[in-house]
Amino acid sequence: MAQQALIDPQGEAGHQVAGRWTVLAVAVSSAARVELRRYELPSPNEMWELDDAPILSIVMPRAEGTQGEIMFDLGDRRRHKVGRLLLRPGGIAMHSRGDGGMLDILTCRFDPVRFAAATGLSDWDSHRLSCCASINSPMLMTLAERLKQETVAPEFGSDMAVEALVELLMVELARLFGRLRQRDAGQGGLAPWQLARIDEVLRATDGVWPTTQALANLCGISRSHLSRSFAATTGVALSDHAAAIRLERAQDMIRGGLLPMNRIAETLGFATASAFSAAFRRATGLTPRAFRQSFH
């Protein structure tokens, strides 16, 4: 399999990117190689990358957060804000700029032939590439978190679990971009700016959690239209997506260890710390305090 390499804007190969990271854990399936990598990058950081294989990257949260943007060397070369989930198609150079520092990233490097056969994804244009920069999928995030667990702490049957999870990741990517094609063909759905506005509000809310009606108002559509179109576009209900972001934000703040539980509860719109604790335990099987202790 070809090495991933840093390149300059003209495409000349430079030193290997592998010098920028430490591999903390590895899992291998018949369709992909999975690595948990710890990057130690200069601040700010800027680089070009190219690989002949598609790579799904899942950025692990850190207390200070992350900021970055990417540009694919194809089409209109627009810059896109990077999300927690990023897909880099094989054979397309990508320029990234970010705040650098220490960052843990789970990478799933797919075999190009298996990926194309399983997903049907091979022709990339500017519009589809823009969706690769920040993939909005609670299902993919859930699968990625489970894949990380099986990679970092393998148990009985982990080989089979990794094999199945990699296959499911490809299935979900195929479904996600299939829905995108349907939307582009005029079969309903939300525009990218509407999806981005919803996520922006859910991730920035401090206090009262936004209602479906409030989100619909931001998108300029009715409440029923929003609920129906969001499900058609993403494959998940808006309420489930909002709950997933709420839980993700809770986990990020707990991992950071800087805020008391009552402040986290208040930020995420819970009436009391006990209500937050009960909701968190239903979703994860752990109390917030037990979850925090697992990282120390």
Side-chain angles (χ1 to χ4, degrees):
M1 300 172 73
Q3 287 284 328
Q4 181 180 341
L6 285 177
I7 61 173
D8 67 20
Q10 285 72 46
E12 295 297 325
H15 64 280
Q16 296 300 313
V17 169
R20 298 283 187 110
W21 71 65
T22 301
V23 177
L24 303 180
V26 177
V28 179
S29 79
S30 62
R33 178 180 175 86
V34 181
E35 294 182 350
L36 179 62
R37 300 171 176 174
R38 175 158 293 168
Y39 288 77
E40 296 188 42
L41 301 170
S43 298
N45 176 65
E46 186 169 355
M47 62 184 175
W48 283 83
E49 299 172 82
L50 175 64
D51 197 293
D52 62 355
I55 298 176
L56 182 67
S57 299
I58 303 93
V59 179
M60 299 296 112
R62 61 183 183 182
E64 65 271 31
T66 56
Q67 296 290 329
E69 61 179 19
I70 62 171
M71 178 189 72
F72 292 104
D73 192 22
L74 183 72
D76 59 13
R77 293 164 62 102
R78 286 180 297 167
R79 294 199 170 275
H80 310 285
K81 185 177 179 181
V82 178
R84 290 279 303 279
L85 280 170
L86 163 69
L87 176 66
R88 178 151 52 90
I92 299 176
M94 183 184 80
H95 180 257
S96 62
R97 294 195 304 215
D99 46 9
M102 183 177 291
L103 196 61
D104 289 352
I105 300 179
L106 186 74
T107 63
C108 187
R109 186 179 187 276
F110 297 100
D111 175 85
V113 176
R114 289 285 298 276
F115 184 85
T119 66
L121 298 173
S122 58
D123 56 328
W124 297 95
D125 57 22
S126 297
H127 181 48
R128 281 190 285 275
L129 285 173
S130 69
C131 299
C132 291
S134 182
I135 294 177
N136 180 6
S137 171
M139 177 60 74
L140 279 172
M141 185 62 74
T142 298
L143 291 172
E145 290 284 357
R146 179 63 186 276
L147 185 59
K148 177 194 172 188
Q149 179 183 339
E150 297 292 346
T151 302
V152 173
E155 300 182 56
F156 172 77
S158 282
D159 288 348
M160 291 185 291
V162 168
E163 192 77 33
L165 288 165
V166 168
E167 294 289 342
L168 284 171
L169 284 173
M170 292 191 291
V171 168
E172 286 302 318
L173 285 168
R175 290 176 175 176
L176 181 74
F177 283 93
R179 289 191 292 268
L180 176 64
R181 289 192 182 97
Q182 289 178 345
R183 190 183 71 209
D184 291 344
Q187 299 179 32
L190 298 178
W193 72 265
Q194 291 172 314
L195 292 172
R197 182 165 294 182
I198 290 169
D199 263 24
E200 180 182 351
V201 170
L202 292 174
R203 293 186 184 282
T205 293
D206 186 346
V208 179
W209 194 250
T211 63
T212 302
Q213 184 61 61
L215 294 173
N217 292 341
L218 287 171
C219 293
I221 55 179
S222 69
R223 182 179 181 278
S224 59
H225 187 190
L226 173 61
S227 297
R228 183 171 58 254
S229 298
F230 189 91
T233 305
T234 66
V236 297
L238 176 58
S239 58
D240 291 340
H241 178 68
I245 288 183
R246 206 179 197 184
L247 177 63
E248 181 186 322
R249 288 185 61 191
Q251 291 173 325
D252 287 354
M253 286 187 278
I254 293 171
R255 285 189 187 99
L258 302 177
L259 295 174
M261 295 302 175
N262 61 345
R263 175 58 184 141
I264 295 175
E266 179 184 351
T267 298
L268 297 176
F270 289 93
T272 64
S274 60
F276 165 61
S277 181
F280 190 89
R281 186 167 187 172
R282 282 195 301 272
T284 66
L286 295 172
T287 65
R289 296 190 188 282
F291 183 80
R292 174 171 283 174
Q293 290 169 0
S294 68
F295 288 88
H296 297 284

